[in-house]
Amino acid sequence: MNRRIEAVREFLKKNDLDGLLVTKQQNWQYLSGFTGTNAVLIITTDDQYLITDFRYLEQAAEQAGGFHIIKPFALVEDAVADQVKKLGLNRLGFEDDHLTYHLYSVYKEKLPGVALVPLHETVEKIRWVKDQEEIACLKRAAGITDEAFDNILDFIKPGVRESELALEIEYFMRRKGAQKSAFEIIVASGPRAALPHGVASDKKLVPGEFVVIDFGAVVDGYHADMTRTVVLGRADEQHRKIYDLVLRAQEKALEVLKPGVRCSAVDLAARDLISVEGYGANFGHGLGHSVGLEIHEKPAFTPKDETVLQPGMVLTVEPGIYLSGWGGVRIEDLILVTTDGIEILSKSPKNLIEL
Ligand SMILES: [Mn+2]
């Protein structure tokens, strides 16, 4: 049986549970391979079931090898409850931040005598360390993202709207085989570059401005995430000063980053450097986050995350400095923690590009 489901079973045994009800989309995709929009998994200590609706029966049978596919007579929740009864499960874990209160109440009523045990981020934690198959998807996503950056440089010209650049990036990535854009593309120029999440607007580019571009491709459900900041026209002294500081902070974090190190220590490495130069207050977000089937996963590079890094984790490293009214710089790479260090999955150049 597959390693991912084995990890769930180990958890069930350790916690004296008879089964796990999986209702979060990324988690059921991770465990079963099923990519439809409606499913519930029941993972027991020795078998696994996928309940979906009529629309997806054929797809589920194709994608979810090793699962019994259960066709509901009417409602999915009725079929789930029937199956739980049939299997005689007494202690059933559920995903406490994904099962709605309504559905919880429905199950509570339909399954008298069954202990419904709230579990927090159980499958998510198994997903922290990516396997080879996942890493291959992430590398393909990062590769398309790099190609899209190289392509967009020719389009960055005075008078072009941020939204046009975002559209070209998305069109290019999808032509190259991306399923979709990982999130609403950020193209933030001039004073808008001071907005850490300035999604592309109809603002036109003006010479002498920074342009922050933050985007990523999705391949087989896996997200890439990269940011580059370029200057339209000639960089002045202030542009260079801020850009160099952000780049040095990013490089500092990459130096520190390896298995066995705490997430907070990586954040601190970059944050200290920026603070010493007097811009600590202008770097108001975490240094990075894990990425996978979701764009923002845990663990994360924040001052408070004490998670110890392990080989197979994939995270972003993205320091930024934002000066209200003037602009900002962020430089972000996607990295893989390896057995002895890191592999940087983003390959786009990081020198200050003037266009
Ligand atoms: Mn990011």
Side-chain angles (χ1 to χ4, degrees):
M1 197 56 237
N2 87 46
R3 186 197 67 83
R4 301 176 185 181
I5 292 175
E6 280 313 315
V8 172
R9 294 221 158 95
E10 256 170 57
F11 179 89
L12 293 177
K13 284 171 194 160
K14 245 184 243 164
N15 292 276
D16 207 18
L17 293 161
D18 302 324
L20 171 66
L21 208 57
V22 179
T23 51
K24 177 175 173 174
Q25 199 258 328
Q26 289 88 356
N27 290 344
W28 84 56
Q29 181 178 343
Y30 178 75
L31 294 171
S32 73
F34 177 61
T35 58
T37 60
N38 186 24
V40 175
L41 305 184
I42 302 172
I43 312 282
T44 70
T45 50
D46 60 3
D47 219 340
Q48 52 279 332
Y49 305 84
L50 187 155
I51 299 101
T52 183
D53 68 69
F54 178 77
R55 295 171 296 167
Y56 291 122
L57 293 173
E58 208 169 304
Q59 182 184 337
E62 264 171 37
Q63 293 181 325
F67 276 75
H68 302 280
I69 311 299
I70 295 173
K71 181 183 165 208
F73 182 66
L75 293 172
V76 165
E77 48 267 37
D78 286 338
V80 170
D82 285 349
Q83 192 62 30
V84 169
K85 280 188 219 160
K86 206 192 280 181
L87 293 168
L89 309 178
N90 293 315
R91 274 173 57 78
L92 184 64
F94 70 92
E95 301 180 297
D96 72 355
D97 44 359
H98 294 283
L99 190 71
T100 61
Y101 183 75
H102 171 72
L103 278 173
Y104 171 79
S105 309
V106 169
Y107 287 127
K108 195 88 195 133
E109 202 192 304
K110 288 186 192 293
L111 296 168
V114 176
L116 297 173
V117 181
L119 300 176
H120 193 64
E121 299 181 343
T122 298
V123 181
E124 282 84 345
K125 279 182 186 142
I126 298 169
R127 286 169 43 205
W128 281 8
V129 171
K130 273 68 180 173
D131 56 35
Q132 287 308 314
E133 208 177 309
E134 297 183 282
I135 290 166
C137 292
L138 286 159
K139 283 185 176 175
R140 276 165 55 212
I144 292 173
T145 306
D146 281 326
E147 283 186 75
F149 178 68
D150 185 54
N151 171 69
I152 203 64
L153 293 176
D154 289 339
F155 293 82
I156 300 176
K157 293 192 165 75
V160 173
R161 292 182 196 279
E162 293 171 355
S163 54
E164 292 175 71
L165 296 177
L167 183 62
E168 171 59 28
I169 289 170
E170 176 146 8
Y171 181 62
F172 181 92
M173 291 194 300
R174 293 179 70 165
R175 255 185 3 221
K176 289 287 171 179
Q179 205 180 318
K180 59 180 181 178
S181 178
F183 48 88
E184 201 173 345
I185 295 170
I186 291 171
V187 180
S189 61
R192 293 193 76 255
L195 313 172
H197 264 213
V199 296
S201 74
D202 61 3
K203 178 186 172 301
K204 289 179 176 170
L205 269 51
V206 177
E209 290 181 339
F210 267 136
V211 185
V212 175
I213 308 170
D214 185 350
F215 65 104
V218 177
V219 170
D220 287 343
Y222 286 84
H223 298 66
D225 193 1
M226 182 176 83
T227 308
R228 289 293 182 267
T229 304
V230 301
V231 176
L232 186 60
R234 275 302 171 99
D236 63 25
E237 213 174 296
Q238 175 85 339
H239 286 131
R240 290 191 182 284
K241 181 183 160 196
I242 300 296
Y243 191 92
D244 288 347
L245 180 53
V246 173
L247 183 56
R248 276 192 288 134
Q250 210 244 8
E251 284 168 345
K252 182 79 201 169
L254 295 176
E255 262 173 49
V256 171
L257 220 172
K258 59 181 181 199
V261 170
R262 287 184 193 280
C263 285
S264 56
V266 181
D267 179 275
L268 202 65
R271 199 168 297 282
D272 272 355
L273 204 148
I274 289 174
S275 298
V276 163
E277 301 285 337
Y279 293 96
N282 305 94
F283 173 29
H285 56 73
L287 180 70
H289 52 91
S290 291
V291 186
L293 284 169
E294 293 170 89
I295 184 65
H296 290 115
E297 299 184 354
K298 289 176 187 168
F301 292 131
T302 63
K304 284 190 174 159
D305 194 326
E306 298 297 323
T307 308
V308 174
L309 291 162
Q310 295 175 55
M313 288 180 168
V314 174
L315 304 100
T316 68
V317 176
E318 46 178 315
I321 293 178
Y322 311 93
L323 302 172
S324 182
W326 177 75
V329 174
R330 181 167 63 259
I331 302 170
E332 172 183 32
D333 283 333
L334 191 62
I335 66 97
L336 164 68
V337 181
T338 60
T339 48
D340 56 356
I342 56 169
E343 182 180 343
I344 301 176
L345 305 184
S346 307
K347 311 284 186 200
S348 296
K350 289 192 277 192
N351 57 307
L352 179 54
I353 297 174
E354 298 170 296
L355 294 164

